[in-house]
Amino acid sequence: MATAAETSRAVLPLSGGEPGATVALYPFLSAECQAPPAWFQRAEGRLAPLKALGIGVSRRDYQTIPIVCFLIVHPGAGPVLVDTGLHPSVAVDPRQNLGRLGAQLFGGIDMEPSQATPAQLRALGIEPDEVTTILMTHMHLDHASAISEFPAATFLLSLREWRAATGPRSALHGYVRGQFDHAFDYRTLDFDRGADSFASFGQSFDIFGDESVRVVSTPGHTDGHMSVIARLRAREVLLAGDAIYTLRTLRESHLPARCEDEHRFRRSLREIQMYAEQTPDALIVPGHDIDAWRALEPVYE
Ligand SMILES: [Zn+2]
């Protein structure tokens, strides 16, 4: 595609790593919206694809869905974001940033201006320009929406995800080009070259070289989806992103309506399930589970 945005290969580790470093994690709620449950938990039967889109589903049966991103504070590398949350304009007019279709998909968006990521950072005494690294689990419109607010950051994402987001017909796959078509510093991670295994995950990269923040390849939801594992003082946290929308998918292997690649989705899910079995004290955060979200603390150290 013709685009202002270009990438180069990420060179790891990024600077700032410190042996034995642990991080703090701040979950940011960007917005809540109302969506048909069958989008997140696949329905049975002939009408399932329609139900997933909310066709024939009463608004009363819609479910509250959180749209989220995360701040990780590393002692040497400083503030790091995982995804960007929704653009501040979405609080006023969702169509501008999400597009007509996106605004429809995320119906009834409930977002206060104070929930925009720059505002949440400032509330913690962090200027948005101090965020030098942003890890993108994937580039779907509810995760990449606020990229424009971070011109000073280096964005890390998988090479496969970049290709999917900038490829032909990407708009039909949940990407909004205008959100990321900026001459920003995008760096790609090629999980097929030089990745290490970590725990149950076949492909991972250690971002700062100190084992404090890792990304693991969890494709299937999108071609190049990745999840993030961070080391807190006493335990690990897995920010699963949309590799699992809900904890029900983790526990029951109940799939969502749509996967970019169902075979790879199942394989990633199995890796996450094995991680959960092998690391029972890890905090596992799914992408769009309102009950799991409401159970989170404001900060983890
Ligand atoms: Zn999402």
Side-chain angles (χ1 to χ4, degrees), residues 202-248:
Q203 294 177 315
S204 93
F205 287 109
D206 178 0
I207 299 298
F208 299 110
D210 59 6
E211 304 178 2
S212 62
V213 180
R214 294 173 188 276
V215 292
V216 294
S217 177
T218 48
H221 172 69
T222 60
D223 264 354
H225 191 280
M226 66 185 195
S227 304
V228 177
I229 298 177
R231 185 169 63 191
L232 309 173
R233 209 170 291 146
R235 59 172 168 162
E236 287 176 4
V237 55
L238 168 63
L239 305 174
D242 290 0
I244 47 169
Y245 281 145
T246 63
L247 288 180
R248 185 176 169 202

Side-chain angles (χ1 to χ4, degrees), residues 30 67-69 81-88 90 97-98 106 117 134-150 155-157 161-162 165 174-182 184 186 242 288:
S30 206
I67 297 178
V68 308
C69 64
L81 282 176
V82 177
D83 295 338
T84 65
L86 294 179
H87 190 271
V90 177
N97 176 273
L98 301 177
F106 294 95
T117 309
I134 301 184
L135 307 173
M136 296 300 304
T137 61
H138 63 307
M139 296 290 272
H140 271 172
L141 74 169
D142 52 321
H143 299 257
S145 174
I147 281 180
S148 64
E149 303 307 285
F150 299 97
F155 293 83
L156 263 67
L157 75 167
E161 188 63 14
W162 181 259
Y175 302 105
V176 172
R177 188 169 299 185
Q179 291 178 342
F180 53 87
D181 196 8
H182 309 292
F184 286 3
Y186 294 106
D242 290 0
H288 292 286

Side-chain angles (χ1 to χ4, degrees), residues 198-201 229 236 238 240 244 247 249-251 268-285:
F198 174 70
S200 58
F201 295 97
I229 298 177
E236 287 176 4
L238 168 63
I244 47 169
L247 288 180
T249 296
L250 176 69
R251 290 181 190 131
S268 297
L269 176 58
R270 191 67 206 122
E271 288 186 330
I272 293 171
Q273 288 168 331
M274 282 167 60
Y275 174 79
E277 284 160 25
Q278 293 167 8
T279 326
D281 59 346
L283 173 68
I284 298 182
V285 186

Side-chain angles (χ1 to χ4, degrees), residues 83-106:
D83 295 338
T84 65
L86 294 179
H87 190 271
S89 68
V90 177
V92 186
D93 174 17
R95 283 188 189 197
Q96 270 181 41
N97 176 273
L98 301 177
R100 195 174 53 83
L101 217 67
Q104 214 166 46
L105 195 69
F106 294 95

